[in-house]
Amino acid sequence: MAHPTTTSIDIRGALRGAITATVLAAIVLLPSFTLHLERAGARTTIVPNWSTLVWGCLAVFVVQLLRPLLLPRLPTVKLPSLPSFEPRRHRVLMLAVLVAAVAWPFFGGRNSIDIATLTLIYVMLGLGLNIVVGFAGLLDLGFVSFYATGAYTFALLHHWAGWSFWEALPFTGAMSALFGFVLGFPVLRLRGDYLAIVTLGFGEIIRLLLVNLVGLTGGPDGIVGLPKPTVFGLPMTRNPAVEGGTTFHQFFGLEFNTIHVVIFLYLMALMLACITLYVSNRLIRMPIGRSWEALREDEIACRSLGLNPMKIKLSAFTLGAMFAGFGGAFFAARQGIVKPESFTFIESALILAIVVLGGMGSQLGVIVAAIVLTVLPELAREFSQYRMLIFGLVMIVMMVWRPQGLLPMKRHQAEVPR
């Protein structure tokens, strides 16, 4: 007699869940895909497309209703694990990958090199946030504020003092690190959702300051005319900036070609990403890295070991913000312009998605996730209207199917022989 009762309860629960999911889907689909704005001269009319809403809600209802029945029968799929190498072979493999990455832009197209440069910027940002979220376990939703601090520090130093990129680069990292240090004090006693809300508010405060301080930051128009990085003081431009100067192609007797600038920016982004990876990899092997992991696992146990959580949190925020500052300075130099609209919350969400998708604490996973989340949207430009929808679906599938990430961090284990 118990079996029919259990079955009826399961059906009732599945039906309730399907109706709830359908209502939520209708709320999401209604403004995005059902109501379209069309202009006819000076008038704007709303043209509804109810068939999209009906078919979308029907698909959600059927999938959610059959989910409890189909989910146990689906085969478990495991992602291929990386083979284990000896330390010597691992170094040889890393060297081969680095050589291939350095040689690749000389054979690739301009568009692909631009995408690869953007990917390397997100690799830097992901590795920086990985220190805060992955290693220290502090949920930061305002990481884009440090990214913006680095970009605007370089822009302001060039605009008001005439500094070059290489002169301003150390100060961009230092200024972002200072902002991370300052942010760390108000959140010393916060964790989890409360910490996320405070960091989110900090990111919005920075963005609003950039918009409203028109006399300093240029307001919504931003700062334009930022120079590209030079090669040992030689600008990679067609003509020298000052009379009697020498450009890169004139010094080496080359014909000027804009592809040279693109390749140089890619190689520079690769160098900065490698430095970020090397430094963060060394940090996690040091006592400060072990302290981050101890804080992430249990703050009370961390205190019992004599560690100071205040110093640990401040160090995580400061170092993570420093790498974001370097990435922001390079982004500003690459674009030649900085605007507040480049540093919205969606950027913080994307960087956090890179860390979560790759595997929290996994540096290789962050690199792979940055490549996936940067290259795939570029390959699917014809579906640009549905790009964010596809992005959200991918994240939902990953959280259900593989919550530990693409390449989760391997923890060192030791077995005591019996």
Side-chain angles (χ1 to χ4, degrees):
M1 297 296 294
H3 182 70
T5 304
T6 305
T7 305
S8 62
I9 293 176
D10 292 340
I11 294 176
R12 192 179 299 114
L15 185 61
R16 189 185 303 112
I19 294 175
T20 303
T22 304
V23 172
L24 294 177
I27 295 174
V28 174
L29 293 175
L30 182 62
S32 302
F33 301 98
T34 305
L35 303 178
H36 299 276
L37 296 178
E38 291 188 1
R39 287 192 175 185
R43 297 182 58 187
T44 302
T45 59
I46 299 177
V47 180
N49 186 8
W50 300 110
S51 61
T52 303
L53 179 65
V54 172
W55 284 109
C57 292
L58 181 62
V60 171
F61 180 81
V62 172
V63 170
Q64 287 294 325
L65 186 63
L66 300 179
R67 183 172 176 268
L69 180 64
L70 298 178
L71 193 60
R73 300 184 181 182
L74 292 177
T76 57
V77 180
K78 293 184 178 181
L79 287 178
S81 58
L82 293 177
S84 58
F85 296 100
E86 299 178 359
R88 185 177 178 181
R89 292 185 177 180
H90 185 266
R91 296 190 191 98
V92 173
L93 180 62
M94 293 297 294
L95 182 61
V97 172
L98 181 60
V99 171
V102 171
W104 172 76
F106 297 96
F107 305 97
R110 181 182 183 126
N111 188 35
S112 59
I113 299 174
D114 278 331
I115 296 174
T117 306
L118 181 62
T119 302
L120 291 172
I121 294 176
Y122 280 107
V123 167
M124 293 177 58
L125 297 174
L127 291 174
L129 185 59
N130 196 34
I131 294 177
V132 182
V133 178
F135 297 145
L138 305 172
L139 183 57
D140 188 354
L141 293 182
F143 195 70
V144 72
S145 60
F146 310 127
Y147 184 36
T149 301
Y152 269 88
T153 299
F154 165 58
L156 292 174
L157 287 175
H158 171 73
H159 182 71
W160 296 105
W163 287 26
S164 66
F165 172 80
W166 295 110
E167 292 173 334
L169 184 62
F171 290 91
T172 60
M175 185 59 67
S176 297
L178 178 62
F179 271 68
F181 185 80
V182 171
L183 174 64
F185 277 102
V187 301
L188 290 178
R189 298 181 180 272
L190 302 178
R191 289 186 67 86
D193 301 337
Y194 302 99
L195 175 62
I197 293 173
V198 171
T199 54
L200 174 61
F202 182 78
E204 286 300 302
I205 289 173
I206 295 297
R207 186 184 65 82
L208 292 175
L209 287 176
L210 296 177
V211 172
N212 292 291
L213 296 178
V214 180
L216 181 65
T217 65
D221 296 331
I223 301 175
V224 300
L226 302 180
K228 297 287 191 296
T230 59
V231 185
F232 300 107
L234 300 174
M236 300 192 70
T237 55
R238 184 182 298 274
N239 299 312
V242 296
E243 186 177 355
T246 304
T247 62
F248 177 82
H249 68 280
Q250 290 175 351
F251 184 83
F252 288 98
L254 302 174
E255 183 180 355
F256 177 77
N257 194 337
T258 55
I259 193 65
H260 296 162
V261 182
V262 178
I263 295 176
F264 170 66
L265 291 176
Y266 166 82
L267 294 177
M268 185 178 167
L270 179 63
M271 179 190 69
L272 292 175
C274 289
I275 293 175
T276 305
L277 177 62
Y278 176 79
V279 174
S280 60
N281 187 45
R282 300 303 299 176
L283 285 174
I284 63 174
R285 298 175 184 271
M286 296 171 63
I288 187 174
R290 304 303 182 192
S291 302
W292 291 337
E293 294 184 357
L295 177 68
R296 178 191 63 198
E297 298 300 330
D298 195 328
E299 184 173 343
I300 297 177
C302 179
R303 290 178 182 271
S304 67
L305 293 174
L307 301 175
N308 190 342
M310 180 185 72
K311 294 182 179 179
I312 299 173
K313 291 181 180 180
L314 289 178
S315 64
F317 273 110
T318 302
L319 291 172
M322 180 185 68
F323 292 125
F326 290 144
F330 178 78
F331 171 79
R334 173 178 176 265
Q335 297 294 114
I337 180 176
V338 287
K339 290 185 177 181
E341 63 184 21
S342 301
F343 309 104
T344 57
F345 169 71
I346 193 64
E347 290 295 320
S348 288
L350 179 59
I351 302 169
L352 181 62
I354 289 174
V355 176
V356 175
L357 181 63
M360 296 178 61
S362 173
Q363 293 176 311
L364 183 58
V366 168
I367 296 174
V368 174
I371 295 173
V372 171
L373 293 183
T374 308
V375 174
L376 285 184
E378 296 296 332
L379 297 178
R381 277 194 173 273
E382 59 269 18
F383 305 104
S384 58
Q385 183 179 359
Y386 308 100
R387 189 184 304 181
M388 294 308 298
L389 179 63
I390 297 174
F391 172 75
L393 290 176
V394 169
M395 292 303 298
I396 292 174
V397 170
M398 282 299 303
M399 292 302 100
V400 173
W401 175 47
R402 194 174 175 85
Q404 67 271 31
L406 291 173
L407 298 172
M409 181 180 63
K410 292 184 178 180
R411 301 180 182 273
H412 298 284
Q413 299 178 351
E415 295 183 1
V416 178
R418 297 182 179 180

